[in-house]
Amino acid sequence: MNIVTLVGRLTSDPELNVLDNGMKVATITLAVKRGFKSGESNQYETDFFKCTLWSGIAEATTSYCRKGYTIGLKGRLQQKQHVQDGKNIFSYPEIIAEKITFISKTATDSE
């Protein structure tokens, strides 16, 4: 089973791009705070995940979300492969969003 579930804040405003074939895509970075404090610093660490959104999910997210908004993301990991010098080369997995839930806006946003 290939399921990724994340809840975090957008690190920048999402931007919608239209490919040559007409497909719409957006790439976001989601800052996700870990659920535990790290050793000596006693601080929560944050991980940053690059996520790809397609079609309607990309359009809705760019229309309704801005930097700092908290969203929930359900998706899957996808790894690309190509052959170089006769060897299989695998890329780092990317997160492909399948569902986005708009959770909250920033505290300073009056919308």
Side-chain angles (χ1 to χ4, degrees), residues 5-12 28-35 44-51 66-73 95 103:
T5 304
L6 300 169
V7 174
R9 292 192 179 273
L10 294 174
T11 62
S12 61
I28 61 170
T29 301
L30 202 56
V32 179
K33 192 182 288 187
R34 293 185 184 171
Y44 289 102
E45 292 184 15
T46 302
D47 294 302
F48 297 87
F49 297 99
K50 184 177 174 183
C51 307
R66 299 288 170 258
K67 177 181 177 177
Y69 281 28
T70 301
I71 64 169
L73 179 145
I95 298 170
I103 296 175

Side-chain angles (χ1 to χ4, degrees), residues 42-111:
N42 204 27
Q43 299 280 332
Y44 289 102
E45 292 184 15
T46 302
D47 294 302
F48 297 87
F49 297 99
K50 184 177 174 183
C51 307
T52 303
L53 294 66
W54 290 96
S55 303
I57 293 172
E59 290 181 87
T61 303
T62 55
S63 294
Y64 298 110
C65 294
R66 299 288 170 258
K67 177 181 177 177
Y69 281 28
T70 301
I71 64 169
L73 179 145
K74 180 182 173 213
R76 61 184 165 82
L77 291 175
Q78 177 175 297
Q79 188 173 37
K80 295 180 182 172
Q81 169 187 346
H82 68 276
V83 177
Q84 182 177 340
D85 299 327
K87 296 180 182 177
N88 288 329
I89 306 296
F90 294 92
S91 66
Y92 286 104
E94 63 179 312
I95 298 170
I96 306 297
E98 296 175 347
K99 181 177 180 179
I100 297 284
T101 302
F102 307 132
I103 296 175
S104 69
K105 299 178 181 182
T106 59
T108 59
D109 198 342
S110 61
E111 288 186 336

Side-chain angles (χ1 to χ4, degrees), residues 15-29:
E15 291 185 28
L16 187 66
N17 295 304
V18 181
L19 303 179
D20 292 339
N21 64 4
M23 292 286 294
K24 295 176 182 173
V25 63
T27 301
I28 61 170
T29 301

